[in-house]
């Protein structure tokens, strides 16, 4: 079997598995968020934090709860890293420095998991499990809660209420993320992933000498890292490390975990909205972009121009031989079209156009299918914009799911899509203009520019992956990427929740002969076009200076 055939078969198997679980899992999540009953353990948690899970919140209260919970998470994780030197299970590692502690705390709380450190040489067992792994769960649950709040905005009628954040947070964590991650961890351990709390071992090497390895609860963190579209690896090599991702099967299984919740949430949206066909329209849009990007990535990486690449059979630089070009290409697209950031190969070593495809996937807003929750609410924002464009074409007030899209709603949607491009382009320009950040670039020319552009694209879109040639562990990059992650995560949430509140205060309008049928293939095509055109107009000049210039050279 040739490598191209193997890659296509992996893609078909992955698509089949996602299709198989889409309806039952998506419907289950809809029931979780629609239920009016609380489990006993949920009641204990609500009592412990002093929250009333049955109190309906308007959007300002919901937003305050999101920000307050996240702020406490940043402070706790920051202090945990600063105190690591005196904690048990530190493996002898010292406390993490202030700038890097801030960057890492922000990174994991914002579901970015940007890592400017070597995991196996920096973080002990307590920080990894009680700090980083916990945030992998709750940051994903926060994104899902905000997405569900927006769905309630579309389905509510003159209430202005979006549900209860504390109830949504606890349910998403305990009923969805914990059980699925536990099952996934068992599968990974059975397939060879590491799970222990051992210390540092001296390991001999084939060519002589030795190397130090430390153990850890790797499989359990790997499971939620992918399921919650977090991305932070226990080891610096991330999912290219054999302790995290030992076989081609686990590689495909981890891709499945990355895509499971984002794709299934479209079914959740359809069920909660009372029209599963609306969910299928969003699913078709996401799937079309995902499959198109995957096909392009495999084509660029299998093209193997030049004698060295032809001798290897494909562009194998920076890729694990146990996964090959096919598995690495599928993983790269999945992790950059979602907010995951995990890598099983090094994107900096991809072909110029291949690296550009990965970068463009993040620039789309990571909505195909996007992160846990963030993908759904990002796609719904784009749907609002597409409906508005269609309304301009026919000269009538645009409507989506029975709610009118007026000036207020469009201003909030426009602010949402402008936040991350502004962060990316301004911070990239500043880094290229100032002399000190330039010393972090290990490659000159177009590729060096791509490294910086990729870093801020990843941070502002809460992805977390990076081009390997950039030294981001400096005060400049720790601070600026930290700010990009904070603003890129929470400013869009402000606009999403404000939009949800505005929609929830409206009375649904009846469907008429002039209403745009947003569950039809025509609308899905319009939505794909709007996404690609808006992103292209925003980022094309920057892409032309980096990956396009490198690829065409």
């Amino acid at each position: 079997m040739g490598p191209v055939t193997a890659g296509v078969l992996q893609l078909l198997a992955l698509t089949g598995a996602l299709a198989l679980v889409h309806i039952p899992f998506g419907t289950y999540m809809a029931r979780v968020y629609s239920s009016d009953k609380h489990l006993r353990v949920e009641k204990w948690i609500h009592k412990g934090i002093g929250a009333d899970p049955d109190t309906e919140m308007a959007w300002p209260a919901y937003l305050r709860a999101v920000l307050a919970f996240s702020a406490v998470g940043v402070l706790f994780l920051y202090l945990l890293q600063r105190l690591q030197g005196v904690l048990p299970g530190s493996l002898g590692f010292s406390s993490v420095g202030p700038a890097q502690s801030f960057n890492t705390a922000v990174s994991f709380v914002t579901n970015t998991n940007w890592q400017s450190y070597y995991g196996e040489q920096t973080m002990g067992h307590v920080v990894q499990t009680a700090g980083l792994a916990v945030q992998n769960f709750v940051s994903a649950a926060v994104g899902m809660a905000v997405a569900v709040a927006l769905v309630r905005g579309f389905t509510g009628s003159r209430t202005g209420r979006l549900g209860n954040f504390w109830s949504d947070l606890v349910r998403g964590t305990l009923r969805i993320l914990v059980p699925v991650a536990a099952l996934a961890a068992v599968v990974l351990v059975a397939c060879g992933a590491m799970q222990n709390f051992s210390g540092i071992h001296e390991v001999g090497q084939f060519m002589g000498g030795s190397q130090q390895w430390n153990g850890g609860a790797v499989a359990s963190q790997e499971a939620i890292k992918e399921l919650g579209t977090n991305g932070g690896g226990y080891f610096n090599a991330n999912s290219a490390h054999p302790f995290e991702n030992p076989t081609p099967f686990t590689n495909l299984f981890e891709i499945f975990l990355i895509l499971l919740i984002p794709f299934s949430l479209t079914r959740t949206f359809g069920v909660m909205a009372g029209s599963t066909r609306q969910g299928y329209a969003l699913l078709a849009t996401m799937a079309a972009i995902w499959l198109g990007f995957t096909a392009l990535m495999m084509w660029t990486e299998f093209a193997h121009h030049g004698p060295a690449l032809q001798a290897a059979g494909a562009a194998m630089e920076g890729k694990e031989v146990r996964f090959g070009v096919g598995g690495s290409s599928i993983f790269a697209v999945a992790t950059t079209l979602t907010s995951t950031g995990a890598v099983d190969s090094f994107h900096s070593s991809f072909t110029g156009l291949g690296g550009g495809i990965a970068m463009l996937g993040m620039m789309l807003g990571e909505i195909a299918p996007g992160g846990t929750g963030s993908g759904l609410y990002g796609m719904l924002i784009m749907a609002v914009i597409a409906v508005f464009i269609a309304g301009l074409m026919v000269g009538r007030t645009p409507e989506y799911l029975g709610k009118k899209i007026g000036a207020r709603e469009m201003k909030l949607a426009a602010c949402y899509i402008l936040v991350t491009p502004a962060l990316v382009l301004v911070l990239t320009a500043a880094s290229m203009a100032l002399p000190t950040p330039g010393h972090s670039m290990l490659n000159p020319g177009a590729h060096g520019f791509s490294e910086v552009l990729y870093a801020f694209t990843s941070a502002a879109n809460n992805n977390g992956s990076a081009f390997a040639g950039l030294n981001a562990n400096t005060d400049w990059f720790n601070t600026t990427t930290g700010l990009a992650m904070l603003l890129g995560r929470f400013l869009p949430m402000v606009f999403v929740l404000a939009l949800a509140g505005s929609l929830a205060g409206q009375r649904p309008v009846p469907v008429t002969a002039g209403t745009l049928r947003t569950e039809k293939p025509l609308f899905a095509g319009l939505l794909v076009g709007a996404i690609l055109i808006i992103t292209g107009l925003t980022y094309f000049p920057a892409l032309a200076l980096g990956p396009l210039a490198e690829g065409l050279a």
Side-chain angles (χ1 to χ4, degrees):
M1 182 188 301
V4 177
T5 303
V8 172
L9 290 177
Q10 289 183 64
L11 182 59
L12 291 175
L14 177 63
T15 304
L18 291 168
L20 189 65
V21 301
H22 175 75
I23 291 178
F25 189 56
T27 303
Y28 168 73
M29 289 194 290
R31 291 173 179 169
V32 166
Y33 288 112
S34 301
S35 174
D36 56 359
K37 296 181 180 180
H38 307 288
L39 302 179
R40 181 175 299 178
V41 65
E42 294 172 353
K43 294 178 181 178
W44 292 343
I45 294 174
H46 293 311
K47 186 176 181 180
I49 62 177
D52 182 0
D54 296 314
T55 300
E56 292 282 322
M57 293 179 171
W59 79 264
Y62 204 101
L63 175 63
R64 287 195 297 270
V66 170
L67 297 179
F69 178 76
S70 300
V72 171
V74 171
L75 179 61
F76 174 76
L77 190 51
Y78 177 84
L79 292 176
L80 202 62
Q81 294 174 84
R82 297 292 292 136
L83 296 172
Q84 177 174 251
V86 298
L87 294 175
S90 65
L91 300 176
F93 299 146
S94 61
S95 298
V96 184
Q100 195 168 70
S101 292
F102 164 74
N103 185 278
T104 304
V106 167
S107 172
F108 278 77
V109 170
T110 59
N111 199 243
T112 310
N113 294 36
W114 170 272
Q115 294 175 286
S116 59
Y117 60 89
Y118 295 96
E120 64 269 39
Q121 299 176 15
T122 308
M123 304 297 183
H125 291 324
V126 173
V127 176
Q128 289 276 19
T129 55
L132 305 185
V134 168
Q135 287 302 322
N136 281 348
F137 281 97
V138 295
S139 66
V142 167
M144 296 167 68
V146 173
V148 170
L150 180 57
V151 175
R152 294 191 185 115
F154 282 108
T155 59
S157 176
R158 298 182 66 83
T159 64
R161 304 295 175 177
L162 304 178
N164 185 281
F165 168 73
W166 304 109
S167 176
D168 293 338
L169 173 71
V170 173
R171 289 182 180 190
T173 303
L174 296 185
R175 300 195 198 183
I176 299 172
L177 296 172
V178 168
V180 178
L183 179 61
V186 172
V187 173
L188 290 173
V189 170
C191 294
M194 187 174 69
Q195 182 78 7
N196 58 50
F197 289 101
S198 68
I200 298 177
H201 301 276
E202 197 80 18
V203 181
Q205 296 178 315
F206 289 113
M207 302 301 292
S210 63
Q211 187 173 2
Q212 288 186 336
W213 288 104
N214 57 281
V218 177
S220 56
Q221 185 154 318
E222 190 75 9
I224 187 57
K225 153 190 155 182
E226 312 296 13
L227 180 67
T229 60
N230 295 281
Y234 207 99
F235 299 99
N236 183 56
N238 207 276
S239 290
H241 199 291
F243 289 173
E244 292 193 22
N245 190 7
T247 68
F249 172 78
T250 59
N251 189 64
L252 200 61
F253 180 65
E254 290 184 12
I255 301 172
F256 171 78
L257 292 176
I258 291 171
L259 301 173
L260 173 60
I261 291 179
F263 271 131
S264 298
L265 275 175
T266 58
R267 172 73 181 185
T268 304
F269 162 71
V271 172
M272 294 182 69
S275 174
T276 56
R277 297 177 68 183
Q278 295 285 352
Y280 286 135
L282 297 188
L283 175 63
T285 304
M286 292 177 174
I289 297 174
W290 171 61
L291 289 171
F293 270 59
T294 304
L296 283 173
M297 180 68 83
M298 293 178 70
W299 173 74
T300 59
E301 297 305 298
F302 277 120
H304 52 78
H305 298 297
L309 298 180
Q310 290 176 0
M316 281 298 296
E317 181 186 353
K319 299 180 178 68
E320 277 291 323
V321 293
R322 65 184 188 276
F323 305 143
V325 171
S328 299
S329 298
I330 298 171
F331 199 114
V333 171
T335 196
T336 51
L337 277 177
T338 63
S339 63
T340 309
V343 293
D344 72 345
S345 56
F346 285 94
H347 297 176
S348 183
S349 296
F350 278 40
T351 61
L353 294 178
I357 292 169
M359 203 181 305
L360 182 60
M362 294 185 292
M363 291 172 173
L364 292 181
E366 295 174 317
I367 53 177
T372 47
S374 61
L376 178 61
Y377 65 67
M379 182 59 79
L380 287 173
I381 293 290
M382 295 304 303
V384 166
I385 293 173
V387 166
F388 182 78
I389 293 172
L392 292 178
M393 293 179 180
V394 298
R396 61 173 283 136
T397 302
E399 304 164 8
Y400 188 59
L401 295 182
K403 299 298 179 73
K404 289 186 177 295
I405 309 301
R408 173 179 169 81
E409 288 75 22
M410 274 308 301
K411 288 176 183 177
L412 292 170
C415 288
Y416 175 92
I417 64 171
L418 289 174
V419 168
T420 49
L423 290 171
V424 172
L425 297 177
V426 169
L427 291 174
T428 300
S431 296
M432 298 304 296
L434 297 175
T436 302
H439 298 159
S440 294
M441 294 189 301
L442 304 183
N443 295 286
H447 193 78
F449 175 79
S450 294
E451 291 171 359
V452 177
L453 178 62
Y454 193 104
F456 287 112
T457 301
S458 177
N461 286 283
N462 302 128
N463 182 273
S465 63
F467 269 16
L470 181 72
N471 174 25
N473 189 18
T474 65
D475 287 344
W476 169 264
F477 280 107
N478 278 328
T479 303
T480 53
T481 56
L483 291 174
M485 288 184 282
L486 275 176
L487 297 175
R489 174 71 164 177
F490 295 114
L491 271 183
M493 284 185 175
V494 172
F495 301 125
V496 168
L497 291 174
L499 175 62
S502 177
L503 295 170
Q506 294 185 27
R507 184 191 301 275
V509 296
V511 177
T512 65
T515 301
L516 175 66
R517 302 298 296 273
T518 53
E519 77 280 11
K520 297 292 186 179
L522 178 63
F523 178 73
L526 173 65
L527 186 52
V528 171
I531 292 167
L532 296 178
I533 290 172
I534 290 172
T535 305
L537 292 175
T538 304
Y539 286 107
F540 180 79
L543 289 170
L545 292 173
L548 286 176
E550 182 183 359
L552 295 175

